[in-house]
């Protein structure tokens, strides 16, 4: 976000080192009669973790962050969050397998609210990720004169053209899913491309 970090998110303050407990894959923390397990869930970003909460009755809830995509509560459509530069498709697909294997009863992506049909939700996200990557790869090959390198090395003009085509592709996908213009606007506000 560059110079907009403070404007968008406020000032970032360091936590005192004595108050920070680093968590690694499989580490647990007990609090309030509940157990939180850190699950390494990269792909969207390499540093990403999901937190699996298990209460004393054995109920399991996964707080997935952006690893489980974006879905607005009033619509049954999954969207792909704009990933940081370290996005890796195969790794993220492995994360989706891991989220299903966690056998939570409900997942809570950062954007927004509970999802009970975990398999259906993650299946939609898998399909969208594969389709989006194929779209971008095909366009990069054509726009960059056949080079299939990542967008950061593309010229500003190539990037702008690719983004315009991706937005048009995404809007056509939304129309095929019968999303209203208001729904499309809601997704684009919640999850800017």
């Amino acid at each position: 976000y560059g110079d907009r970090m403070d404007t968008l998110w406020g000032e970032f303050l360091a936590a005192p080192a004595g108050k920070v407990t680093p968590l690694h894959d499989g580490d647990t923390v007990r609090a309030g009669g509940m157990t939180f397990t850190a699950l390494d869930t990269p792909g969207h970003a390499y540093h990403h973790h999901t937190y699996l909460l298990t209460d004393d009755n054995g109920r399991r809830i996964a707080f997935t962050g952006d690893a489980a995509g974006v879905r607005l509560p009033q619509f049954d459509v999954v969207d792909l969050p704009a990933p940081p530069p370290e996005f890796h498709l195969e790794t993220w697909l492995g994360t989706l397998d891991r989220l299903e294997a966690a056998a939570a009863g409900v997942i809570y992506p950062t954007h927004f609210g509970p999802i009970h049909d975990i398999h259906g939700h993650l299946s939609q996200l898998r399909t969208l990720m594969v389709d989006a990557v194929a779209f971008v790869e095909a366009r990069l090959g054509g726009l960059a004169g056949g080079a299939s390198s990542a967008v950061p090395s593309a010229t500003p003009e190539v990037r702008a053209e690719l983004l315009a085509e991706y937005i048009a592709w995404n809007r056509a996908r939304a129309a095929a899913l019968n999303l209203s213009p208001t729904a499309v606007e809601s997704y684009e506000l919640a999850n800017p491309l």
Side-chain angles (χ1 to χ4, degrees):
Y1 297 99
D3 294 339
R4 297 177 53 210
M5 285 294 285
D6 287 346
T7 305
L8 290 170
W9 314 114
E11 183 181 2
F12 280 82
L13 302 174
K19 299 282 185 183
V20 175
T21 302
L23 295 177
H24 304 281
D25 188 44
D27 287 351
T28 61
V29 174
R30 290 247 338 135
M34 298 177 284
T35 302
F36 294 86
T37 304
L39 302 178
D40 190 23
T41 51
H44 166 70
Y46 287 126
H47 65 275
H48 197 280
H49 275 81
T50 289
Y51 294 94
L52 181 64
L53 168 106
T54 306
D55 68 14
D56 286 340
N57 296 318
R59 291 177 295 209
R60 297 163 67 90
I61 299 169
F63 297 96
T64 63
D66 285 339
V70 173
R71 188 177 84 189
L72 299 180
Q74 62 271 39
F75 308 107
D76 192 25
V77 173
V78 178
D79 201 10
L80 184 62
E86 68 265 18
F87 165 82
H88 190 263
L89 176 63
E90 292 78 13
T91 302
W92 198 348
L93 292 171
T95 280
L96 299 184
D97 292 341
R98 186 162 197 207
L99 290 175
E100 283 207 68
V106 62
I107 62 174
Y108 281 84
T110 301
H111 312 285
F112 301 95
I115 296 170
H116 297 278
D117 178 11
I118 297 167
H119 176 75
H121 178 88
L122 296 179
S123 292
Q124 284 184 48
L125 182 57
R126 277 184 191 93
T127 299
L128 176 56
M129 286 188 338
V130 169
D131 290 351
V133 166
F135 175 86
V136 170
E137 283 180 341
R139 293 311 186 275
L140 269 180
L143 293 172
S148 61
S149 61
V151 174
S153 63
T155 65
E157 295 80 16
V158 167
R159 184 188 182 286
E161 188 174 342
L162 176 61
L163 182 58
E165 288 184 14
Y166 182 78
I167 289 170
W169 175 81
N170 207 43
R171 288 178 179 165
R173 181 182 73 88
L177 293 169
N178 296 315
L179 285 179
S180 70
T182 301
V184 172
E185 182 180 7
S186 295
Y187 272 99
E188 288 181 357
L189 286 171
N191 184 35
L193 301 173

